[in-house]
Amino acid sequence: MKAMRAVPLSTPVARRWTPSTSAKTLSSVRPVVSARAESSEMMMWESLRQGLDEEMERDPRVMMMGEDVGHYGGSYKVSYDLYKKYGEMRLLDTPICENGFMGMGVGAAMTGLRPIVEGMNMGFLLLAFNQISNNCGMLHYTSGGQYSVPMVIRGPGGVGRQLGAEHSQRLESYFQSIPGVQLVAVSTPRNAKALLKAAIRSDNPIIFFEHVLLYNIKGEVGDKDEVQCLERAEVVREGTDVSIFCYSRMRYVVMQAVAQLEKEGYNPEVIDLISLKPFDMETISKSVKKTRKCIIVEECMKTGGIGASLSAVINESLFDDLDHQVVRLSSQDVPTSYAFELESATIVQPSAVEETVRSVVG
């Protein structure tokens, strides 16, 4: 079953490309948000594709490998038709062998390339856990700094719509304890493109989470010079009553709840974490000290999840600034059901966010 190709959320429109005559020399660029210039509106898969294209054109060391990333264009079309522009060696179709091509990606990064490794589904990357944990995250340290591993590990994950337990994994909880890797979860077309560009340019190994249900989210996207800091959270909505910390698709679940809460007179602050490791404690601390209450909303499992780690950090470092215990809304600790009603019952819904805000704020 794992070999089956995922059906794209929408069929992209084919584009004609002019081959690049020369790639720009990579300069030392620190991932920061540049001044906004021109912007355009597109879906998230398109923004990721555009960011990938721009970085491959900018730096000839950037390449991508994974199952069906070349001729097929990736399971959700993030690399659609790019093999025609850059060739089959820079858009490398691999066998169905995650531990093999993940190890090849680590080796490529060690020897001068900047590989992007796509998991057709992030759940499949459990087969490459050894390469990610013992090689990707540790080689810079175990080599005494002789090697860097500038690679991006990315792909679709999260709870989709009736994809079943094995295709509904949330691997951020698995990977957060690995030393030496950064975790980034994107949520909008704009931050997806800007963060992917920053991740490709980073000298650190980045695990880049894209939610399977967000590829068709449409929004504005910055120009090719816009690059976003990988370690910075985003204040989605300023407020004074309670701080709600979320990431990925839960940003939209929370904002749906906020639309109702506003009608009732509540004024919550919403923070999209984006960086799951390390946490942006500057933004988190500022928000908690302002509202003195916090709710963490995640799609991850409650046991050992991102929310558990964040709750521990807040309690350890901001306990005296809290007027209420930290509340976590997480997925149930059960395998995700294929049945729609049971699947919905295992993950956080807007109504649960509304009820929790009423309870915490009063």
Side-chain angles (χ1 to χ4, degrees), residues 55-91:
E55 291 304 300
M56 291 188 74
E57 184 174 287
R58 176 181 180 272
D59 184 355
R61 295 175 297 172
V62 177
M63 55 87 65
M64 186 172 179
M65 65 177 73
E67 297 155 0
D68 288 335
V69 301
H71 287 255
Y72 186 67
S75 54
Y76 287 89
K77 299 306 180 186
V78 170
S79 56
Y80 181 74
D81 259 5
L82 290 182
Y83 81 96
K84 294 180 181 178
K85 182 176 181 180
Y86 298 107
E88 297 176 347
M89 293 304 293
R90 291 184 69 190
L91 275 299

Side-chain angles (χ1 to χ4, degrees), residues 63-339:
M63 55 87 65
M64 186 172 179
M65 65 177 73
E67 297 155 0
D68 288 335
V69 301
H71 287 255
Y72 186 67
S75 54
Y76 287 89
K77 299 306 180 186
V78 170
S79 56
Y80 181 74
D81 259 5
L82 290 182
Y83 81 96
K84 294 180 181 178
K85 182 176 181 180
Y86 298 107
E88 297 176 347
M89 293 304 293
R90 291 184 69 190
L91 275 299
L92 185 63
D93 283 323
T94 65
I96 301 171
C97 184
E98 282 77 9
N99 58 345
F101 65 75
M102 186 65 69
M104 183 167 65
V106 173
M110 290 172 63
T111 52
L113 298 179
R114 289 184 172 268
I116 303 152
V117 179
E118 176 176 296
M120 181 179 282
N121 180 282
M122 289 296 269
F124 301 160
L125 295 185
L126 290 175
L127 296 166
F129 196 87
N130 176 63
Q131 285 71 27
I132 296 171
S133 59
N134 285 329
N135 302 147
C136 175
M138 296 186 185
L139 270 166
H140 180 71
Y141 300 88
T142 57
S143 70
Q146 295 179 76
Y147 292 104
S148 293
V149 187
M151 68 184 295
V152 179
I153 301 166
R154 53 153 297 274
V159 179
R161 290 195 176 95
Q162 296 183 273
L163 297 180
E166 293 176 352
H167 288 66
S168 301
Q169 294 276 32
R170 285 131 287 178
L171 295 192
E172 55 268 34
S173 61
Y174 292 68
F175 292 135
Q176 67 171 323
S177 61
I178 299 175
V181 299
Q182 288 183 245
L183 308 185
V184 175
V186 300
S187 53
T188 69
R190 186 166 214 134
N191 68 35
K193 178 186 173 182
L195 288 163
L196 180 61
K197 291 168 76 72
I200 292 170
R201 299 181 193 188
S202 174
D203 287 331
N204 298 317
I206 311 293
I207 303 180
F208 197 86
F209 294 97
E210 303 157 14
H211 199 286
V212 68
L213 293 183
L214 296 185
Y215 283 115
N216 269 9
I217 292 289
K218 201 168 186 179
E220 283 194 351
V221 175
D223 66 12
K224 65 180 182 179
D225 295 320
E226 183 169 304
V227 181
Q228 187 166 329
C229 179
L230 293 167
E231 296 86 21
R232 183 66 65 188
E234 178 183 340
V235 180
V236 181
R237 182 190 188 279
E238 292 191 358
T240 56
D241 289 346
V242 60
S243 300
I244 304 178
F245 300 108
C246 56
Y247 64 91
S248 189
R249 194 179 79 87
M250 286 296 111
R251 170 175 176 153
Y252 298 94
V253 171
V254 168
M255 291 308 293
Q256 186 176 338
V258 167
Q260 173 59 36
L261 291 166
E262 286 176 331
K263 297 175 183 177
E264 300 173 23
Y266 292 99
N267 185 26
E269 181 153 291
V270 180
I271 308 289
D272 185 343
L273 295 172
I274 294 178
S275 178
L276 306 184
K277 182 186 177 182
F279 292 127
D280 175 10
M281 288 308 298
E282 181 182 343
T283 301
I284 292 167
S285 299
K286 183 179 178 180
S287 181
V288 169
K289 289 177 180 179
K290 178 169 64 171
T291 67
R292 306 187 70 84
K293 305 177 186 69
C294 77
I295 300 168
I296 301 169
V297 183
E298 61 179 341
E299 197 176 76
C300 207
M301 303 296 186
K302 191 162 193 175
T303 302
I306 296 297
S309 296
L310 180 57
S311 175
V313 172
I314 291 173
N315 278 308
E316 288 169 357
S317 59
L318 297 166
F319 183 80
D320 291 337
D321 296 297
L322 291 169
D323 287 339
H324 193 283
Q325 69 188 54
V326 178
V327 179
R328 287 186 288 145
L329 297 178
S330 313
S331 291
Q332 302 296 314
D333 288 330
V334 296
T336 305
S337 175
Y338 176 80

